[in-house]
């Protein structure tokens, strides 16, 4: 058959590799800063741009979308061309993919540090960045599907199934979760409210883990692990079963982030059961990976690439066992709101995503630069530092989680909470936070060793932008299924049909959960005493969102006696109907704030207390790790935008009277004045539209309505 | 393909015993075996599906499992059986404790929980002055204990969870050691009280 000559585009792979390395260092460094801030609050540096609430989203976004994102692109662009025996479909699309993605990352870092955030975890970016992400992601998918169409290999290999699922899954998740109403260039409100927003957000949040951190990496594993080991994939059949089972089941599991919270029991049960059913499909990947290494274990000992891959697959197996267990309600009761989840995601992040990325880089770079790795010994040191760093990071956090949970729920013999001061349960685990910082530091040092090693490798080699290759023309003329061909073998040579089938498998779970929550009224029973936020409270809430207060404070009292004694009445679905977005939080580094407006309740503090606490938290709560917010008193709310915010809320269905936008600012100033007067009695001078006044008004709203008699 | 000397050639390591079921698949040198999925993983898969069906049946079809609201009620009942109602120590029946051990306990409680608002010596700040003659919520032991226990609209938080004994101790400490010392600080608030 006639051989065709073509060229692999190595340059685009090189670009993504460099971006992976650079953003990886940034992401890990920012993570280390966040870890230090929790152990020693002085690392907040008393500047608004570096408070934990802003730094933490930068860390998560940098790791997930910048480091892992670029690693996915690097790995996909490299392997896809070789697996399909063709150049990428379009150089222009490749370039848009690369530069667009880097632009998004820079925009994300700048906006998040400036306090521009939508307040939805792992989806904090504002509306115009969301649009950029959607566009660049579609470009990536277009380029990928185009490449499959111009391929010279008859069948599409398993790695690419996962790439396709990744493209479709992330596209669907990102678009549905990002529906938001822009108010200004820098501010938007989520279209969904309260419990509905929570369901959509955690459907997204959980599946961002699935389709950004899991499926693409399984695809990468299916290429790089057998390549590096020189061994065949253990079971083609297992590849098929666990692929379809995993992408179908994963999409249902999101509500396991909302167990014992203000969500209908049926939705919680779906979250529990589908998470349990995820165990075997997830482990399918681990098994196929580890069994592929049969006959190659002697080589694992000598190769840092393979060692990293083994740790990656093992960490993946651990996390995907732990995940379903954490979805059981009686385990989730402990793991939710504690450091357990933080430890869990770092096993996945450092071990699985980190490990596979490192393995992949050690594999690709010597091949692309046509030289040997500069130092196998240094790579080995990196391996041990990364593995040890991961353990020293995670183990103290598991310890902290159990300790703190036991303290939260312990009663004295007289029937009172044994640790009524929340702070004492935090200071108890601070030593664990110090150890976790050390784990992060080791991981970073290992990372830097890799950077040096790879730099020396690149410097010693020669890079070919256009790598020549040859392959026969593809004869795919027979469209119908051959009698001897299995159904799956047929669809493996029909990329468009394959993509459609994957889309259907993916879409079902989300639709079944989200559509009833948004459209069936009985799922959100209303409470008549719950009123919309006043303009001042709304502005206060926006500050709460923009500062990332939800990174440490929950607003969700669960129905446990030890929570209702500590905070007050447990949270109801109907309380949150005006919350765009919801702010239930996922980790209680500080106490829950859902009941801070209940006068005489255990969480109520007066305006002067809040003022002093924001000014200098340590002066009011000795030993607290809360950052200081002295600029809250100096900065004022931008009341020019307030009317537009009211109108936006009206559009979203919040029942302000018609024409209220024209009166909103006067109401805001009047309410602000009463708080300013109260502060004046304590010799505190503050203007009525100061940020601190708005935040206090918001905190005094939380839980107030539900404590009123109907 | 260039013939650079340093170019790494990816090798495929064939193994007679392990590769008996080799398929004709070859993707950039990656081969696949025709092994079935291990039986034990398929067993786990079917067991988890069975578990899920039973879970749904238990909670929804047969309504055997409690909803989370019912679970909470059960927990509260269990608590009440174990510890009884907490209201038996009626504030009216309280007396001022005078023995040194109780006052010392009260002082320790004050230092840990009250100084942030009422000042190290009771002179007030965010909270009222506890050393002067005027009191907002009354100055008898029952009134002071009540405001500490239940909190108040001015911003006094509830210390119910610290237990009646501690509350009585700190109220006694405030009334015997701080009241009447007339420290300069927060201005007079509330009504004169003996």
């Amino acid at each position: 058959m006639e051989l065709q000559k073509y060229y692999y585009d190595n340059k685009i792979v090189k670009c993504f590799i460099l971006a992976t390395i650079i953003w990886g260092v940034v992401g890990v460094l920012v993570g280390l800063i966040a870890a230090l801030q929790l152990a020693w609050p002085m690392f907040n540096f008393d500047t608004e741009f570096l408070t934990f609430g802003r730094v933490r989203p930068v860390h998560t976004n940098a790791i997930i979308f910048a480091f892992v994102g670029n690693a996915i692109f690097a790995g996909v662009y490299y392997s896809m061309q070789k697996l399909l025996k063709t150049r990428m479909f379009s150089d222009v699309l490749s370039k848009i993919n690369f530069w667009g993605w880097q632009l998004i990352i820079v925009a994300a870092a700048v906006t998040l540090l400036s306090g521009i955030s939508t307040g939805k975890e792992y989806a904090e970016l504002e509306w115009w960045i969301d649009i950029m992400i959607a566009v660049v992601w579609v470009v990536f998918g277009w380029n990928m599907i185009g490449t499959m169409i111009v391929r010279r290999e008859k069948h599409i290999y398993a790695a690419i199934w996962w790439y396709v699922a990744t493209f479709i899954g992330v596209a669907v998740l990102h678009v549905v979760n990002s529906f938001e109403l822009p108010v200004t260039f820098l501010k938007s409100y989520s279209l969904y409210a309260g419990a509905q927003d929570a369901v959509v957000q955690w459907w997204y949040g959980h599946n961002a883990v699935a389709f950004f951190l899991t499926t693409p990496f399984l695809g990468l594993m299916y290429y790089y692990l057998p390549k590096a080991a020189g061994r065949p994939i253990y079971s083609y059949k297992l590849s098929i079963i666990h692929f379809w089972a995993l992408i179908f089941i994963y999409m249902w599991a999101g509500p396991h982030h909302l167990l014992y919270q203000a969500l209908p029991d049926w939705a919680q049960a779906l979250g529990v059961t589908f998470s349990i059913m995820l165990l075997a499909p997830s482990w399918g990947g681990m098994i196929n990976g580890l069994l592929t290494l049969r006959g190659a274990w002697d080589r694992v000992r000598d190769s840092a690439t393979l060692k990293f891959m083994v740790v990656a697959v093992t960490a993946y197996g651990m996390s995907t066992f732990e995940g379903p267990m954490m979805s059981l309600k009686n385990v989730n009761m402990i793991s939710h709101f504690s450091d357990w989840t933080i430890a869990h995601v770092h096993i996945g992040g450092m071990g699985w995503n980190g490990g596979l990325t490192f393995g992949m880089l050690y594999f690709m770079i010597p091949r692309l630069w046509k030289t040997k790795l500069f130092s196998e010994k240094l790579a080995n040191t990196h391996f041990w530092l990364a593995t040890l760093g991961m353990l020293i990071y995670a183990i103290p956090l598991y310890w902290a989680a159990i300790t703190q949970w036991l303290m939260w729920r312990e009663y004295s013999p007289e029937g009172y909470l044994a640790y009524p001061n929340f702070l004492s349960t935090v200071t108890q685990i601070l030593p664990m936070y110090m150890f976790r910082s050390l784990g992060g530091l080791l991981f970073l040092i290992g990372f830097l060793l890799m950077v040096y090693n790879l730099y020396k490798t690149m410097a010693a080699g020669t890079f070919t932008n256009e790598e020549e290759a040859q392959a026969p023309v593809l004869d795919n003329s027979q469209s119908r299924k051959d009698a001897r061909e299995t159904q799956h073998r047929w669809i493996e040579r029909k990329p468009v049909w394959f993509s459609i089938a994957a889309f259907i498998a993916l879409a079902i779970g989300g639709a079944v959960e989200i559509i009833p929550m948004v459209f069936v009224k009985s799922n959100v029973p209303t409470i008549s005493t719950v009123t919309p936020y006043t303009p001042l409270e709304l502005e206060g809430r926006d500050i709460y969102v923009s500062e990332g207060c939800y990174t440490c404070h929950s607003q969700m009292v669960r129905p446990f006696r030890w929570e209702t004694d500590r905070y007050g009445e447990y949270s109801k679905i109907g309380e949150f109907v005006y919350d765009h977005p919801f702010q239930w939080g996922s980790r209680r580094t500080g106490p829950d704030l859902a009941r801070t407006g209940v006068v005489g309740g255990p969480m109520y503090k007066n305006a002067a207390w809040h003022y002093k606490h924001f000014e200098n938290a340590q002066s009011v709560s000795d030993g607290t790790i809360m950052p200081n917010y002295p600029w809250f008193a100096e900065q004022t709310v931008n009341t020019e935008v307030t009317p537009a915010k009211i109108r936006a809320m009206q559009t979203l269905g919040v029942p302000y009277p018609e024409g209220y936008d024209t009166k909103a600012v006067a109401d805001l100033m009047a309410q602000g004045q009463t708080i300013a007067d109260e502060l004046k009695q304590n010799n505190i001078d503050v203007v009525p539209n100061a940020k601190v006044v708005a935040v206090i008004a918001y905190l005094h709203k939380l839980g107030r309505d539900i404590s009123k008699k109907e | 393909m260039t013939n650079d000397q340093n170019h790494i050639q990816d090798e495929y390591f064939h193994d007679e015993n392990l590769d008996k079921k080799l398929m004709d698949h070859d993707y950039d040198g990656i081969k696949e075996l025709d092994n079935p999925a291990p039986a034990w993983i398929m067993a786990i898969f079917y067991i988890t599906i069975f578990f899920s069906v039973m879970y749904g049946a238990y909670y929804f079809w047969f309504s055997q499992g409690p909803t989370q609201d019912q679970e909470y009620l059960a927990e509260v009942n269990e608590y009440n059986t174990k510890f009884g109602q907490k209201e038996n120590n009626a504030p009216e029946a309280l007396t001022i404790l005078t023995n040194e051990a109780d006052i010392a306990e009260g002082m320790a409680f004050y230092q840990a929980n009250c100084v942030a608002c009422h000042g190290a010596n009771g002179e007030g700040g965010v909270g009222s002055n506890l050393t002067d003659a005027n009191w907002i919520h009354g100055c008898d032991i029952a009134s002071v204990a009540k405001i500490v226990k239940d909190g108040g609209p001015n911003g006094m938080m509830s210390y119910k969870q610290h237990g009646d004994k501690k509350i009585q101790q700190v109220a006694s400490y405030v009334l015997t050691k701080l009241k009447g010392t007339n420290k300069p600080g927060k201005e007079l608030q509330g009504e004169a009280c003996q």
Side-chain angles (χ1 to χ4, degrees), chain A residues 69-177:
Chain A
N70 277 305
I72 293 169
F73 293 134
V76 168
Y77 275 88
Y78 178 87
S79 60
M80 191 135 177
Q81 301 186 69
K82 294 187 161 49
L83 286 169
L84 297 174
K85 295 206 173 78
T86 178
R87 190 186 180 83
M88 286 307 291
F89 172 63
S90 157
D91 285 3
V92 175
L93 293 180
S94 303
K95 284 203 179 89
I96 297 175
N97 187 174
F98 177 76
W99 289 108
W101 199 254
Q102 312 317 317
L103 186 66
I104 288 164
I105 293 166
V106 172
V110 172
T111 54
L112 290 174
L113 288 178
S114 311
I116 296 157
S117 162
T118 61
K120 292 177 69 152
E121 275 185 88
Y122 320 117
E124 287 95 345
L125 305 175
E126 264 304 345
W127 62 274
W128 49 277
I129 308 180
D130 282 342
I131 293 173
M132 283 162 63
I133 294 172
V135 170
V136 173
W137 194 256
V138 168
V139 164
F140 167 59
W142 178 7
N143 207 7
M144 181 153 75
I145 291 173
T147 308
M148 290 196 284
I149 289 169
V150 302
R151 72 194 188 279
R152 293 189 184 82
E153 181 73 65
K154 189 167 184 182
H155 293 97
I156 299 197
Y157 172 59
I160 297 170
W161 312 345
W162 294 100
Y163 301 162
V164 170
T166 299
F167 161 61
I168 300 170
V170 172
V172 171
L173 293 161
H174 173 70
V175 170
V176 174
N177 188 47

Side-chain angles (χ1 to χ4, degrees), chain A residues 80-387:
Chain A
M80 191 135 177
Q81 301 186 69
K82 294 187 161 49
L83 286 169
L84 297 174
K85 295 206 173 78
T86 178
R87 190 186 180 83
M88 286 307 291
F89 172 63
S90 157
D91 285 3
V92 175
L93 293 180
S94 303
K95 284 203 179 89
I96 297 175
N97 187 174
F98 177 76
W99 289 108
W101 199 254
Q102 312 317 317
L103 186 66
I104 288 164
I105 293 166
V106 172
V110 172
T111 54
L112 290 174
L113 288 178
S114 311
I116 296 157
S117 162
T118 61
K120 292 177 69 152
E121 275 185 88
Y122 320 117
E124 287 95 345
L125 305 175
E126 264 304 345
W127 62 274
W128 49 277
I129 308 180
D130 282 342
I131 293 173
M132 283 162 63
I133 294 172
V135 170
V136 173
W137 194 256
V138 168
V139 164
F140 167 59
W142 178 7
N143 207 7
M144 181 153 75
I145 291 173
T147 308
M148 290 196 284
I149 289 169
V150 302
R151 72 194 188 279
R152 293 189 184 82
E153 181 73 65
K154 189 167 184 182
H155 293 97
I156 299 197
Y157 172 59
I160 297 170
W161 312 345
W162 294 100
Y163 301 162
V164 170
T166 299
F167 161 61
I168 300 170
V170 172
V172 171
L173 293 161
H174 173 70
V175 170
V176 174
N177 188 47
S178 298
F179 282 132
E180 50 215 350
L181 183 65
V183 181
T184 66
F185 185 59
L186 300 177
K187 176 73 198 163
S188 67
Y189 289 118
S190 171
L191 230 52
Y192 315 98
Q196 297 165 346
D197 197 36
V199 166
V200 176
Q201 159 63 24
W202 282 114
W203 166 78
Y204 164 87
H206 173 72
N207 287 299
V209 173
F211 290 91
F212 214 90
L213 302 177
T214 307
T215 58
F217 274 66
L218 283 168
L220 297 174
M221 181 198 83
Y222 270 100
Y223 179 79
Y224 292 93
L225 189 127
K227 281 295 277 188
R231 295 289 301 143
I233 289 294
Y234 171 74
S235 168
Y236 163 69
K237 285 186 185 129
L238 180 57
S239 304
I240 297 171
I241 300 170
H242 96 100
F243 172 76
W244 291 103
L246 189 139
I247 68 165
F248 173 73
I249 294 174
Y250 234 121
M251 279 288 191
W252 296 72
H256 69 210
H257 288 261
L258 300 166
L259 299 181
Y260 282 119
Q261 297 176 42
L263 196 71
D265 286 277
W266 65 264
Q268 298 191 30
L270 285 178
V272 173
T273 50
F274 277 84
S275 305
I276 293 294
M277 287 189 281
L278 253 183
L279 174 59
S282 301
W283 268 17
M286 173 184 69
I287 293 168
N288 232 357
L290 290 179
L291 290 180
T292 294
L293 291 171
R294 290 184 323 157
W297 285 99
D298 53 323
R299 283 193 292 285
V300 172
R301 198 181 49 225
D302 305 325
S303 151
T305 300
L306 281 175
K307 253 188 272 194
F308 266 120
M309 288 181 181
V310 168
V311 163
V313 173
T314 312
Y316 171 70
M318 276 163 59
S319 314
T320 52
F321 173 75
E322 193 186 14
M325 294 308 117
M326 289 164 77
S327 305
L328 291 168
K329 288 184 93 172
N330 50 358
V331 179
N332 188 270
M333 177 200 297
I334 311 171
S335 68
H336 196 76
F337 289 142
S338 76
D339 281 316
W340 189 333
T341 312
I342 325 289
H344 169 68
V345 300
H346 280 86
I347 297 280
M350 291 167 150
W352 166 238
N353 299 113
L356 203 66
T357 302
F358 301 146
M360 200 169 80
L361 291 174
Y362 284 126
F363 176 87
M364 273 195 290
I365 288 170
R367 281 161 181 76
L368 284 167
W369 269 264
K370 298 194 173 31
T371 181
K372 289 223 159 28
L373 186 64
F374 169 69
S375 163
E376 195 70 36
K377 208 172 156 191
L378 217 51
N380 244 319
T381 314
H382 173 207
F383 169 79
W384 287 110
L385 281 171
T387 309

Side-chain angles (χ1 to χ4, degrees), chain B residues 91 94 140-150 167-168 171 175:
Chain B
L94 286 180
D140 58 297
I141 178 80
S143 304
V144 175
K146 185 174 178 346
I147 190 76
V148 174
K149 185 170 178 175
D150 296 333
I167 292 170
Q168 191 182 3
L175 290 173

Side-chain angles (χ1 to χ4, degrees), chain A residues 223 231 235 260 415 564 682, chain B residues 13 28 35 71-72 79 186:
Chain A
Y223 179 79
R231 295 289 301 143
S235 168
Y260 282 119
T564 56
N682 290 289
Chain B
F13 300 91
D28 191 31
N35 289 316
E71 254 182 276
Y72 179 68
Y79 175 91
K186 192 82 177 264

